[in-house]
Amino acid sequence: MTTSEAYDVIIIGGGLAGLCCALHLQKYELKILLIEKQSYPKHKVCGEYVSNEVLPYLGWLNIDPKAHGAVPINQFEISTRHGETIESGLPLGGFGMSRYALDTLLYNEVVPKSEVVIDTVTSVEFQDNIFVVNTQSKKSFQAPYAVGAFGKRSILDKQMDRKFVNERTHWMAVKAHYDYSFPENKVALHNFEGGYCGLSQTETGAVNACYLTTLKSFRACDSLEEFQQKVMSENSRLKDFFENAIPLFEKPLTISQISFAKKSIIEDHIFMLGDSAGLIHPLCGNGMAMAIHSAKLFSELYLKEIRNKNGNRDSLEHAYKKAWKANFAERLRTGSRIQRLLLNNTAASFAYTAVNRFPSILPYIIKKTHGTALV
Ligand SMILES: Cc1cc2nc3c(=O)[nH]c(=O)nc-3n(C[C@H](O)[C@H](O)[C@H](O)COP(=O)(O)OP(=O)(O)OC[C@H]3O[C@@H](n4cnc5c(N)ncnc54)[C@H](O)[C@@H]3O)c2cc1C
């Protein structure tokens, strides 16, 4: 096993949270190591609608998604499982961009200044105020601070024996790109028995279709195709989509064991960012913004507490936990309430009637699950 030189911060996971954290800290000449298990570019199961709240911060990090083809989105459409539809403007708006392009855009800005290792982290030890991070290829790296940005579920969650990994989850998700005629400025959320499917355009003109469903609903069918035809296509919007859309992936990407359980913000002194700290229900379309925002929160506090005040781990841990809860706890709770409501037939039908009668409720609900512009 080799032990390399020390870094200021080791970031585990190079999705949006990890990459933005690296970009932020490297601006201050810190020695950063980012370890990501998959090489770039890579597709990822995600709705690929990003809230505009992150644009000012991404600009500060020297990232301009619109210059790389991101599609501006300002309209939202939601349909019940019976195809009844409501449309609304999006208070802040957003953009459509594939994770294939967005993560790579960030990665290309990180590599000139920070070290990026493509490897899987298998364990993390904390002793005498130093982290030792071990990887699958038998390398080990050291730093006084470690950031966990390894997403919804990782072998590290098991290694750390985090409470949520032992709880049963019944969610799975599927995503693929399609050739389909769909308005450029719109994101749609179409409900079906046991789940919902998001549609929006990406920078290539392809339409991303990403759905979340309960295993119970899915198990009634033998294949994704059968599920799409029998269960999802009960909604006329999805019927039209699956009848006319031409798949652009050889086969869709799937993930399972998605957990929306509460997670610890700091685990064995590791600062958790993005989905590693908590996953908001995807229907809110705000998980990516939260991941990016958490990178900003951590980086600013790290610079304030450690760099400027010469290091106090306790005060940084306290400050990060407090900031995380103040910014995200209520959003997660609201997302959870909306998801429960949409998946309950009677409640969803009541909500549809209410929103139809008082359309201003919808932008209000959207605002409750989103933040304000990150400056
Ligand atoms: C079905 C679905 C639809 C969604 N739709 C949207 C949407 O439309 N809009 C939105 O804003 N959000 C959406 N989200 C949420 C969004 O995808 C996440 O919130 C976001 O990706 C979180 O970013 P992250 O950086 O925390 O994690 P990730 O982007 O998952 O990155 C984690 C990284 O860590 C790496 N990793 C994991 N384990 C290890 C290890 N042991 N060693 C090294 N690397 C490791 C992974 O390879 C990965 O690259 C959706 C989520 C789901 C499930």
Side-chain angles (χ1 to χ4, degrees):
M1 189 172 280
T2 53
T3 301
S4 76
E5 61 188 298
Y7 297 88
D8 291 308
V9 180
I10 295 180
I11 301 168
I12 306 165
L16 297 179
L19 289 165
C20 287
C21 185
L23 279 175
H24 192 132
L25 295 178
Q26 73 184 21
K27 269 180 158 255
Y28 295 84
E29 309 299 331
L30 289 157
K31 205 162 160 26
I32 305 299
L33 171 68
L34 184 142
I35 311 177
E36 162 58 44
K37 69 176 182 181
Q38 283 183 287
S39 51
Y40 301 86
K42 53 192 156 71
H43 283 291
K44 183 166 282 185
V45 175
C46 181
E48 302 184 335
Y49 164 80
V50 192
S51 165
N52 273 345
E53 68 204 59
V54 297
L55 280 179
Y57 179 55
L58 289 181
W60 183 77
L61 294 175
N62 209 19
I63 301 293
D64 181 2
K66 292 195 175 143
H68 291 81
V71 185
I73 294 176
N74 57 18
Q75 284 297 309
F76 174 59
E77 178 183 75
I78 182 164
S79 69
T80 66
R81 65 195 61 179
H82 308 297
E84 300 144 325
T85 304
I86 298 174
E87 291 209 28
S88 162
L90 286 163
L92 199 59
F95 58 91
M97 190 170 198
S98 70
R99 294 297 298 271
Y100 189 88
L102 182 57
D103 290 32
T104 309
L105 179 60
L106 297 166
Y107 166 75
N108 286 339
E109 281 292 314
V110 169
V111 275
K113 284 195 167 179
S114 294
E115 195 175 334
V116 178
V117 167
I118 304 297
D119 204 346
T120 301
V121 174
T122 47
S123 67
V124 182
E125 296 149 31
F126 182 67
Q127 260 182 10
D128 302 328
N129 258 332
I130 291 286
F131 287 94
V132 179
V133 176
N134 306 306
T135 69
Q136 200 162 45
S137 57
K138 304 267 180 268
K139 292 203 176 99
S140 94
F141 303 92
Q142 292 189 4
Y145 288 89
V147 164
F150 40 77
K152 291 176 269 304
R153 181 178 285 262
S154 159
I155 50 165
L156 286 175
D157 292 313
K158 236 188 154 55
Q159 192 253 339
M160 290 174 198
D161 199 23
R162 297 183 81 192
K163 194 166 165 255
F164 79 92
V165 266
N166 300 316
E167 293 166 5
R168 279 184 56 172
T169 84
H170 52 276
W171 295 103
M172 61 173 277
V174 182
K175 165 252 179 73
H177 285 178
Y178 294 84
D179 186 356
Y180 180 67
S181 172
F182 186 80
E184 210 182 66
N185 66 335
K186 188 185 272 187
V187 57
L189 189 72
H190 297 307
N191 284 277
F192 57 86
E193 181 69 40
Y196 48 83
C197 176
L199 299 180
S200 56
Q201 248 196 52
T202 67
E203 76 289 348
T204 61
V207 173
N208 181 43
C210 182
Y211 56 89
L212 183 85
T213 179
T214 57
L215 287 172
K216 187 174 163 224
S217 181
F218 182 72
R219 277 197 191 119
C221 298
D222 288 330
S223 66
L224 289 180
E225 291 72 27
E226 189 186 338
F227 183 66
Q228 287 161 188
Q229 275 165 22
K230 281 199 176 152
V231 179
M232 296 179 72
S233 292
E234 276 180 24
N235 179 331
S236 54
R237 298 295 169 131
L238 291 172
K239 186 172 192 297
D240 183 79
F241 179 77
F242 286 114
E243 277 178 3
N244 296 301
I246 301 163
L248 299 174
F249 286 4
E250 218 166 273
K251 58 178 188 173
L253 270 66
T254 56
I255 51 169
S256 57
Q257 293 193 299
I258 302 167
S259 170
F260 298 102
K262 203 170 167 190
K263 297 178 181 175
S264 42
I265 317 302
I266 293 167
E267 191 86 53
D268 298 339
H269 302 285
I270 303 172
F271 292 87
M272 298 298 176
L273 267 54
D275 287 358
S276 298
L279 174 63
I280 190 166
H281 287 278
L283 60 87
C284 302
N286 204 243
M288 288 191 271
M290 283 175 51
I292 294 169
H293 190 174
S294 67
K296 179 176 187 280
L297 284 181
F298 170 78
S299 305
E300 285 172 349
L301 289 169
Y302 173 90
L303 291 165
K304 184 173 157 216
E305 299 286 336
I306 304 301
R307 208 167 178 231
N308 300 344
K309 289 192 197 161
N310 239 353
N312 179 338
R313 189 182 301 280
D314 285 348
S315 65
L316 177 58
E317 289 187 4
H318 177 74
Y320 180 64
K321 248 191 237 171
K322 195 169 156 205
W324 195 98
K325 284 184 185 154
N327 281 282
F328 305 129
E330 183 53 32
R331 260 190 253 185
L332 287 176
R333 279 195 290 272
T334 307
S336 184
R337 280 182 215 121
I338 299 172
Q339 173 134 321
R340 269 202 304 277
L341 185 138
L342 279 184
L343 293 177
N344 176 307
N345 274 337
T346 320
S349 152
F350 174 76
Y352 172 80
T353 312
V355 174
N356 223 356
R357 196 168 296 169
F358 306 104
S360 60
I361 298 176
L362 203 51
Y364 172 77
I365 296 170
I366 295 168
K367 270 193 192 156
K368 291 278 284 177
T369 57
H370 285 63
T372 50
L374 294 182
V375 284

